[in-house]
Amino acid sequence: GVLSGRGADLAGRHVVVSAGGTREAIDPVRFIGNRSSGLQGYALARTAVARGARVTLVAANVALPDPAGATVVRVESALGLREAVLEAAGGADAVVMAAAVADFRPAARSDSKIKKSSADPEPIHLTKNPDILAELCDLRRAGRRPWPEVIAGFAAETDDVLANGQAKLARKGCDLLVVNQVGENLAFGTPDNAAVILVAGGDPVEVPRGPKEGLADVVWDLVAARLA
Ligand code: CTP
Ligand code: CA
């Protein structure tokens, strides 16, 4: 497109992007959440539209205007995100999981608001959420439907960034893993990002600090190369 200068290299492709952060309900008014703003996922959606793709954006709790030209599906929890992503991913060319998915959710959701009393509260028991990215890769391996040719994840790592990232890429079975550098006013809620993109069977690609659109365009470059 005009913005990216990459031309319409995603024309005729259907891509699915997840964005934002899931909320796991404790009771009708409270949840366990995370600090994802959705900015990186929305930048991925905008740049994919600019490059000619049909874009389904699965957005979890994002306070941003819908990107023009994308189909936006709003979800709240990890289970809701899973349903929407699996539904959209069937027959899609690529999926990029930029959403921060809660690893755990309260094992039971109280139907009524939890009230305080003089005693300390009961502990909140947690249970594991499904790993949507790993599940997508497993489904593709099983091969019973036309699942996406390219599956990409995001990971924020602190210590041993590269080793942790490589292990995660292998464990999930995805094609690309964008490893964000956390800290120094990067990532959460900021317009800038810096990352190294790990590529299955290829060399890592370093993306220096810059606008999230820039990182998004490099992700689509790698996706487009694998689709070609
Ligand atoms: N992800 C997912 N489903 C989950 C958790 C994570 O699909 N239940 C996806 C995220 O959207 C992201 C990628 O997996 O694209 C990596 O997320 P991350 O939290 O870094 O990986 P985890 O396997 O949860 O490992 P960790 O213990 O480091 O949190
Ligand atoms: Ca996690």
Side-chain angles (χ1 to χ4, degrees):
V2 176
L3 294 175
S4 68
R6 261 93 169 177
D9 60 349
L10 294 175
R13 302 296 191 176
H14 178 208
V15 303
V16 179
V17 176
S18 71
T22 68
R23 291 179 176 180
E24 311 302 317
I26 297 169
D27 70 11
V29 294
R30 304 182 181 95
F31 58 84
I32 297 171
N34 63 69
R35 296 186 191 280
S36 177
S37 62
L39 286 169
Q40 184 64 65
Y42 274 53
L44 282 156
R46 276 196 307 277
T47 49
V49 169
R51 292 165 73 151
R54 178 159 81 83
V55 179
T56 303
L57 175 60
V58 180
N61 311 297
V62 178
L64 296 169
D66 289 358
T71 301
V72 182
V73 182
R74 292 192 179 267
V75 299
E76 173 145 334
S77 64
L79 294 181
L81 186 81
R82 174 182 174 276
E83 206 174 293
V85 166
L86 291 184
E87 164 77 27
D93 295 289
V95 172
V96 180
M97 286 288 295
V101 184
D103 292 327
F104 313 107
R105 67 177 182 278
R109 173 190 186 280
S110 172
D111 285 333
S112 37
K113 185 186 168 194
I114 298 167
K115 302 294 284 182
K116 71 180 177 230
S117 67
S118 53
D120 279 339
E122 288 299 312
I124 297 169
H125 291 287
L126 301 178
T127 188
K128 267 176 93 170
N129 272 326
D131 187 325
I132 303 157
L133 181 61
E135 191 176 347
L136 260 177
C137 297
D138 289 346
L139 285 165
R140 178 172 65 172
R141 226 172 285 117
R144 275 188 289 276
R145 264 174 81 183
W147 293 103
E149 209 173 316
V150 183
I151 300 175
F154 271 70
E157 300 286 347
T158 51
D159 322 293
D160 271 327
V161 173
L162 279 185
N164 284 342
Q166 290 289 4
K168 195 169 279 182
L169 178 80
R171 177 155 37 85
K172 305 242 184 198
C174 58
D175 307 296
L176 305 169
L177 189 71
V178 184
V179 185
N180 280 312
Q181 284 162 29
V182 184
E184 290 169 52
N185 296 320
L186 287 168
F188 291 120
T190 71
D192 277 11
N193 220 342
V196 51
I197 306 177
L198 304 179
V199 180
D203 292 326
V205 176
E206 249 192 89
V207 185
R209 181 175 185 155
K212 288 181 174 174
E213 268 81 8
L215 175 57
D217 265 323
V218 179
V219 170
W220 294 126
D221 289 347
L222 294 169
V223 169
R226 289 179 94 91
L227 286 174

